[in-house]
Amino acid sequence: MISINEVLETNKMIERDLLDVRTITLGISLLDCADTDLHRLNENIYNKITRLGRDLVRTGDEIAGDFGIPIVNKRVSVTPVALVGAGACRCADDFVSVAKTLDRAAKAIGINFLGGYSALVNKGMTEADRLLIESIPRALSETDFVCSSVNVGSTKTGIDMDAVRLMGKVIKQTSELTADRDSIGCAKLVVFCNAPDDNPFMAGAFHGVTEGDAVINVGVSGPGVVKAALSKVRGESFEVLCETIKKTAFKVTRVGQLVAKEAASRLNVPFGIVDLSLAPTPAVGDSVAEILEEIGLERTGAPGTTAALAILNDQVKKGGVMASSYVGGLSGAFIPVSEDQSMIDAVEAGALSLEKLEAMTCVCSVGLDMIAIPGDTSAATISGIIADEAAIGMINQKTTAVRLIPVAGKNVGDKAVFGGLLGYAPIMAVNSFSCEAFVNRKGRIPAPIHSFKN
């Protein structure tokens, strides 16, 4: 039973510390939409999304009004489209038509984003996978709400370097096709290793094939709440620090559990998971970097940053799993550059480099997220960065991802402006030495020895 004190405390977190439910994401299986006829496939997809998702936005708004909890986004994730379209899509243009159908369905039900224009190629590519991946630049440049992800590796299977090499080229092409908007198409594209099936956060969300026909997953975000709590224990021991983060994460997760179960009940869809990820926004006070600085760093990027982030991520998970039996997705701390004002400040101050961010990804929730790099960065270099990040995920048995934005026509010292929750980003320097001979080797990097657990 939730006490009146908990209610009052939650109200303070919402009003003062920017606590919000970042997203209610409705996962929809499209497996039963598959068809050998492209027209029927598109029709089936549109009809199912609009039928199951027609009340999502209204329900989210009603819950926000009834409980006084801000719900920022209402989203849909679908089965990886490479699987669904395999029977009907004979060329990249066919897959682009599916992307446009997804976009049309998203607009019809009024959601913010739709994820799942995806392929799972961690061990190899089918012809449908390859065609979908080749269609991504056009799909993202010719739609407004569709998000794409490609899983190129896992601890169990290793890393498909053919897919990694292809994704470097795809990211470059996406950048060029959206050059007039600071290459924003790349902000809707994530390359994963160990992608989770139940992640509600964009741009990487998709509805995993192990999921049911439909499910509600909720993502809660409260960097400001954690920072406010830590400001009260400044200078205390690591034990007090960890207990404070853990207790705060517990309280935030309780809010997510309440919203998730209520949404599932009203939509008559099973409740999946609560993802407690500290996802920042450009708003002052809603920053993961500020939490790290509250822990004791002059600037994010200073020595000790990776250790501080490891503490934060671990204690968030420990607090969350005590608050809900169904914590899932990513559940930890995101470290995007463009979406976190203090992270931007750290880059501009020279405290934070791409290499330091890579070190931090060993212990964060995802990986290199929303990082703007020079537009003339080669496809091979981008593939090398993807390979590095996938290797971290593969060896450490964790989710890692890359969302790089090579901003066409811009270089170090310039800024890319995306607007809204995506904010803006300073262009970060990239190591200029070539890795082309490495990424051009064919085949896959084998799974690590500790993957053999059968």
Side-chain angles (χ1 to χ4, degrees), residues 171 186-191 202-204 334 336 339 367-372 401-405 422:
I171 289 170
C186 297
K188 300 187 288 178
L189 174 58
V190 182
V191 185
M202 298 297 171
F334 288 2
E339 298 171 13
L368 296 171
D369 194 19
M370 287 299 293
I371 296 173
V402 171
R403 187 160 47 149
L404 291 179
I405 307 167
L422 299 179

Side-chain angles (χ1 to χ4, degrees), residues 131-151:
L131 290 173
L132 180 131
I133 291 171
E134 290 177 351
S135 77
I136 287 173
R138 275 194 58 204
L140 296 184
S141 65
E142 296 177 21
T143 61
D144 296 313
F145 299 109
V146 172
C147 293
S148 179
S149 60
V150 178
N151 192 73

Side-chain angles (χ1 to χ4, degrees), residues 34-101:
D35 202 290
T36 56
D37 180 82
L38 183 60
H39 175 75
R40 284 197 300 268
L41 171 67
N42 280 313
E43 189 174 61
N44 292 345
I45 289 172
Y46 181 84
N47 289 341
K48 186 163 188 183
I49 292 172
T50 53
R51 174 170 57 83
L52 292 182
R54 63 177 178 265
D55 296 326
L56 178 62
V57 172
R58 177 181 58 78
T59 300
D61 291 341
E62 288 175 355
I63 293 171
D66 292 347
F67 292 93
I69 299 170
I71 299 175
V72 181
N73 290 295
K74 296 86 179 177
R75 300 163 171 169
V76 165
S77 62
V78 298
T79 308
V81 168
L83 299 174
V84 181
C89 297
R90 303 282 185 261
C91 62
D93 285 350
D94 290 347
F95 274 110
V96 172
S97 79
V98 177
K100 291 180 178 179
T101 295

Side-chain angles (χ1 to χ4, degrees), residues 353-435:
S353 66
L354 190 59
E355 286 73 19
K356 183 61 177 180
L357 279 165
E358 183 181 300
M360 293 164 68
T361 66
C362 296
V363 298
C364 79
S365 279
V366 186
L368 296 171
D369 194 19
M370 287 299 293
I371 296 173
I373 60 175
D376 61 0
T377 304
S378 71
T381 294
I382 293 170
S383 294
I385 295 170
I386 294 169
D388 283 343
E389 200 58 34
I392 290 172
M394 177 183 71
I395 295 296
N396 291 295
Q397 304 178 69
K398 72 182 292 292
T399 300
T400 51
V402 171
R403 187 160 47 149
L404 291 179
I405 307 167
V407 184
K410 293 194 174 180
N411 215 322
V412 177
D414 296 327
K415 293 179 183 178
V417 180
F418 308 116
L421 285 174
L422 299 179
Y424 74 95
I427 310 298
M428 298 186 70
V430 175
N431 191 309
S432 61
F433 288 90
S434 175
C435 62

Side-chain angles (χ1 to χ4, degrees), residues 110-357:
I111 57 174
N112 304 97
F113 287 109
L114 188 149
Y117 196 75
S118 307
L120 310 178
V121 295
N122 35 295
K123 197 173 182 182
M125 283 184 281
T126 66
E127 181 63 10
D129 291 326
R130 184 183 64 79
L131 290 173
L132 180 131
I133 291 171
E134 290 177 351
S135 77
I136 287 173
R138 275 194 58 204
L140 296 184
S141 65
E142 296 177 21
T143 61
D144 296 313
F145 299 109
V146 172
C147 293
S148 179
S149 60
V150 178
N151 192 73
V152 298
S154 74
T155 298
K156 192 69 178 172
T157 63
I159 302 169
D160 182 349
M161 287 301 294
D162 294 329
V164 169
R165 184 173 58 255
L166 181 55
M167 287 311 300
K169 297 175 182 176
V170 164
I171 289 170
K172 284 286 289 184
Q173 291 166 7
T174 305
S175 165
E176 291 160 4
L177 287 180
T178 54
D180 60 326
R181 291 164 282 165
D182 274 352
S183 301
I184 196 169
C186 297
K188 300 187 288 178
L189 174 58
V190 182
V191 185
F192 274 114
C193 178
N194 289 323
D197 283 356
D198 55 5
N199 163 31
F201 285 96
M202 298 297 171
F206 61 85
H207 187 71
V209 295
T210 60
E211 302 282 316
D213 195 52
V215 68
I216 286 288
N217 297 321
V218 165
V220 186
S221 184
V225 178
V226 175
K227 180 183 180 294
L230 292 182
S231 68
K232 298 173 184 174
V233 296
R234 198 171 291 163
E236 295 282 357
S237 69
F238 281 106
E239 180 182 2
V240 173
L241 172 74
C242 292
E243 285 297 308
T244 301
I245 297 171
K246 189 164 61 177
K247 289 176 181 176
T248 306
F250 177 90
K251 295 170 185 174
V252 171
T253 307
R254 293 268 287 206
V255 173
Q257 173 91 350
L258 173 65
V259 170
K261 297 200 84 169
E262 189 65 26
S265 174
R266 295 189 188 192
L267 291 168
N268 195 29
V269 171
F271 161 50
I273 58 94
V274 176
D275 184 328
L276 174 63
S277 287
L278 299 180
T281 71
V284 175
D286 200 24
S287 162
V288 170
E290 285 186 27
I291 297 174
L292 301 178
E293 290 162 11
E294 185 60 53
I295 289 174
L297 306 171
E298 180 182 3
R299 278 282 190 193
T300 296
T305 296
T306 305
L309 182 60
I311 293 169
L312 175 63
N313 214 50
D314 186 53
Q315 299 307 314
V316 164
K317 291 179 187 294
K318 286 174 178 174
V321 297
M322 290 298 293
S324 172
S325 297
Y326 297 103
V327 169
L330 300 162
S331 291
F334 288 2
I335 52 169
V337 172
S338 81
E339 298 171 13
D340 187 317
Q341 184 59 52
S342 290
M343 202 76 76
I344 294 168
D345 294 342
V347 171
E348 292 180 332
L352 191 58
S353 66
L354 190 59
E355 286 73 19
K356 183 61 177 180
L357 279 165

